[in-house]
Structure formats: C-alpha cells, structure tokens
Amino acid sequence: MVASPASLPNLDLLAAAALKALILSQHEQLVCHRDEIEHLKLLIAKLRRMQFGRKSEKLERQIEELETAKVSPTSEAVSKPSEQASSLVKPARQPLPEHLPREVKTYAPQEQACACGGRLRPLGQDVSEVLEWVPGSFKVIRYVRPKLSCASCERIVQVPAPSRPIERGLAGPGLLAHVLVAKYCDHQPLYRQAEMYAREGVELERSTLADWVGGCSCLLEPLVEALHRHVMNAAKLHGDDTPVPVLAPGNGKTKLGRLWTYVRDDRPAGDRTPPAVWFAYSPDRRGEHPRQHLRRFHGTLQADAYAGFHHLYEGGQIQEAACWAHVRRKFYDLQVAHASPLATEALKRIAALYAIEADIQGRPPEERLQARISRARALLDSLHQWLQAALAVVSKKSEIAAAIRYALGRWRALLRYREDGRIELDNNAAERALRVVALGRKNYLFAGSDSGGERAAVIYSLVGTAKLNGLDPEAYLREVLQRIAEHPINRIEELLPWNVVAAAEAASS
C-alpha cells in the first residue's frame, strides 16, 4: 500500500528496507504523475493548434442538412407519386427576375418546305428560360423554338428542345457547376449561397439548391465509376479516411460516417500518367469497406496504421508502405509541447531523409531507388539504432516512448520506400486530398444522411481530380454538365479531366 503525504509515517522509526520501499513507491507515483502531466500538456498543445468553427450559424447549418436529407436527388420539377413525397411541401417556382440580362437562343427548323411539298408557315413558338451563371453574375438564357405548320397537310415542324443537365430543371450547367464548387470546393453551405444569390435579386430556396446537388450527383456517377477504374489500375496508391458526422435517422443525433480517399499520383517518380483521386463514403469504419474498395487493386498501398487495413496485406495482393509523416508528427507534437531534446533529435534525423527526397523529386524510379540506397540506407540504420537506445532510457509510460514504439513497430513498412523507387516517403498525397473535407466539415456541421455522404464522395472525386490535373474545377464541371446528358455511356472516359483537356487542345490546334 502506498502511503500518501497526509499519512506519512515517522521516518525515524522505519527500518532501512521499509524506508527504501517507501522512497521507491513515492518515486513511482511521481513518475506516473509526470507522465500524466506530459500527456495532458500534449493534448492541450494539439487542441490549441486545431481550428474550431464558429458556433454562430450552427442552427442554419443544421436546418440546411435536414432539408438536404429530405429532398429527392432528381430535378426540382419532377414529382414522385409516393405518399412520402406528397407530404413534402416544395416551393413553387417563381418567374426569373426581369432585371437580369437575357440571352436569346433561337432554334428554328431547317426545313423550308413540308415533306408533302406544302409551304411552311409560322404557327407560334415555345419559349423557355434557364437561369445561368457566368463568372461574377447571373443571366437568363431564353430558348426560343419557332413552330412551323404546313399549309397543305397541317404538319407541324419544330426543333427539339435542347437537353439540360437536370431534365426540365431551371439551372444551366454553369450555375450548377458554380453551386457544386462553392459547396464542395469553397466550403460555402447552401443556405449561405442562397443568401448571396438573394443579394443579386435571385431568390433560390435551399431545398432547390439541394435538389440540384442531388441531381448532379446522380448524373455524374457513371463518370466517377470510370475515374474509379483509372485509380485502381495503378501499381501504387495512397489511402486514408476521415470522419464525417451524419444525422442518424429517427433520433435527431449524429453518428460518425467515413469518407475514404485513394490517390493515384506517380508524378514524383517521373510518371506522366494522369493523377486522380477517388472518394468513397461508408456509414462506419469497419475494415470490410477498404476491402471492398480495393478488391480490384494489386500493388502497394501507402497508408497509416489503421487496423482495418491490416487484413489487406495478408494475401500478398497488396503490399504495405508506411508513412514517415505520421512518425514525424508524433515527435513534432512532443517538441512543441515540451521542447523535448529527444524529439528534436528525432526530427533532425527524419529531416535528413526528406532532404534526400527533395533532391530526387520527379526523377525516374531507378534513379530514386539508387539514391535511397546510397544516401538513405546509412541514415535509416543509424536512426533505428538511436531509437532503440532512446527507448531503453525513457519511461515506458511516457509520450516519447509511445512515439518511439510507433516507429519501431512499423519499421519494416517504413523501409518499404527504400526498396521501390515508385513509393513515396509519406502519405501526404492522401492527406492533401482529405483537407478539403476537413475544411468543409467545419461549415456543414454534419451530413443530412448517408446519401448526402455518397453525394459528397462523387463531387469530391471530380473536384479533386480536376485540381490534381491543373484544371479550374468550376470550368471543368461546367463543360461536363453541358455534355454528359447526351454523351454516350460507352465513351464516358472522354469526359475525364485529362481527356477533356486533350480534346480542347486538339480542337484549338
């Protein structure tokens, strides 16, 4: 039993053995308290560096996500004959504001005479309007389709209506692309977008905007599936996941869904294959999800220490490569919180590995591998010995011991990059892809449903891939949404970002 300071015995009466036991017991208590204080200081340092969203506007964000969960992922003009749909009160479509500039497009029949030989005469015309967005402003495009009738047989001739991204929808492809990029790339919730549009004199209900997002997601799913095939054909992938709060049906509380990301990007190894990122949503973090995502993949997966990935490496189809950035981050947190000399030394040694990678960035895999063998091998061996020696002299319950054990426990996977010039030192490619999710999460508060998470995965995939290929995401989505409704499904790969660029370059030349 450990004596507390309040009940300290008379030290003059204690035997030497009892006095020694008391001192050892008190020392153990002090070590435990010191480790606990060290741990708490580390947590405080991490929390101070985290950026929390403002608490104001949380109610608005909650309302938006609830509305998004209710709306149908189809056009705002298409009603579903179900009892559930009939219970939803949808806002009536308002006339487009008269103050907006109009661009008139006339689709007149090309025929000069009827097939019977009779003369075609004007019969009237059909006029419809689409609200469109050009960078910085709204405009209305008025589609005019004159009708002609035959003076002899009364046959009516008219050009078919041009297709729209969402059938009978109010929004043009430019406006749809703007809404998607504002929400998923610029982190502007739909309610906030509605407020900005209202200042332009255009009243758009949040439920209408949410309906557009759902409709676009359904329309773009075949393109994202083609993107998925491209990503899984790689020899090396970066993988990671992040939590997404999702409204649990029935109880008004949230659960934690996950957004998974898989990145194909071999440009650092001199490969010119287009980079791409594919996102997937799951309602939980069970290991069956990455197993399903990667069922077609054969190669190296660079990821963190998530236990759900471990079963992937058992059959040999997928090889594990660990992330040095995760190792470095644990020592960095300790250095910031405690100015630990051991953490500082570890950071210095890891920085030397990154300096080598900076020198060989963009070189072919063979050159990268040779440089790692000649320059990094000795540094890695020395670091391994130093970590083992440091672990022997620090408290087993300390945070520095935990950081060292993390590195030593994954040492084989951390050395994988030294054996293959295609593999990177870290998994930062996947973490960069997830950064947009973390920023958006602070604005949206939570997803309204699992289907909302799936919609987000679709748009994040296309926006992220466009950015990896140096494209403006809004311009790319505008082009895709303008073409995809009538594009042959067996040629959907033509709408992938790099193919759109290649087609544009060929047309301009």
Side-chain angles (χ1 to χ4, degrees), residues 35-319:
D35 292 342
E36 184 178 359
I37 292 171
E38 179 183 340
H39 176 69
L40 292 174
K41 285 183 176 179
L42 181 61
L43 290 179
I44 291 171
K46 289 180 178 179
L47 290 173
R48 282 177 175 171
R49 292 200 307 277
M50 293 175 65
Q51 298 179 356
F52 294 100
R54 294 173 55 187
K55 292 186 178 180
S56 62
E57 302 180 341
K58 281 189 176 180
L59 179 60
E60 287 289 338
R61 286 180 275 171
Q62 292 173 355
I63 292 173
E64 171 185 324
E65 296 303 337
L66 290 171
E67 287 184 345
T68 304
K70 290 192 300 182
V71 298
S72 165
T74 55
S75 168
E76 76 278 0
V78 179
S79 60
K80 289 190 174 182
S82 65
E83 294 181 2
Q84 184 178 8
S86 63
S87 65
L88 300 178
V89 179
K90 306 200 72 174
R93 177 180 292 187
Q94 301 297 320
L96 294 176
E98 293 296 330
H99 72 274
L100 294 179
R102 256 68 177 174
E103 177 183 336
V104 178
K105 294 186 176 182
T106 301
Y107 297 85
Q110 299 299 314
E111 294 93 330
Q112 300 298 319
C114 183
C116 71
R119 179 177 59 86
L120 293 175
R121 60 187 179 186
L123 181 63
Q125 61 185 22
D126 287 338
V127 178
S128 60
E129 292 186 334
V130 168
L131 183 64
E132 186 59 291
W133 172 268
V134 294
S137 63
F138 284 101
K139 71 175 181 180
V140 175
I141 298 179
R142 175 171 291 172
Y143 297 139
V144 178
R145 297 184 298 125
K147 293 181 181 179
L148 302 178
S149 68
C150 178
S152 300
C153 67
E154 301 297 325
R155 171 174 169 261
I156 298 175
V157 177
Q158 188 181 36
V159 172
S163 63
R164 304 187 187 188
I166 299 176
E167 186 179 359
R168 299 177 60 196
L170 179 69
L175 178 56
L176 293 173
H178 180 70
V179 170
L180 293 175
V181 170
K183 178 174 174 65
Y184 293 105
C185 191
D186 299 330
H187 326 299
Q188 295 290 339
L190 298 182
Y191 82 88
R192 201 174 295 164
Q193 292 189 52
E195 292 174 352
M196 292 188 293
Y197 300 152
R199 292 196 296 269
E200 298 288 331
V202 179
E203 298 289 341
L204 293 173
E205 296 288 340
R206 281 178 300 194
S207 59
T208 298
L209 296 176
D211 206 21
W212 292 351
V213 171
C216 288
S217 174
C218 292
L219 189 63
L220 294 169
E221 280 180 0
L223 181 58
V224 174
E225 180 55 35
L227 183 65
H228 180 206
R229 292 193 295 269
H230 173 79
V231 170
M232 292 301 150
N233 283 333
K236 181 262 298 179
L237 286 180
H238 296 269
D240 205 350
D241 70 296
T242 192
V244 179
V246 180
L247 188 66
N251 57 19
K253 298 180 180 180
T254 58
K255 62 179 182 178
L256 273 186
R258 311 295 296 194
L259 271 173
W260 307 78
T261 187
Y262 302 94
V263 181
R264 176 180 185 174
D265 189 355
D266 294 320
R267 292 174 298 176
D271 194 306
R272 304 183 69 175
T273 303
V277 56
W278 179 70
F279 282 84
Y281 170 81
S282 66
D284 51 57
R285 206 191 185 197
R286 292 202 297 267
E288 64 190 58
H289 301 300
R291 183 189 297 116
Q292 175 67 16
H293 301 157
L294 298 170
R295 66 190 185 278
R296 307 174 188 168
F297 175 66
H298 293 73
T300 300
L301 176 65
Q302 193 142 25
D304 61 13
Y306 165 52
F309 285 139
H310 291 171
H311 66 275
L312 297 172
Y313 312 127
E314 295 172 355
Q317 173 180 324
I318 299 176
Q319 296 78 46

Side-chain angles (χ1 to χ4, degrees), residues 129 315 372 481:
E129 292 186 334
R372 290 167 178 173
L481 291 169

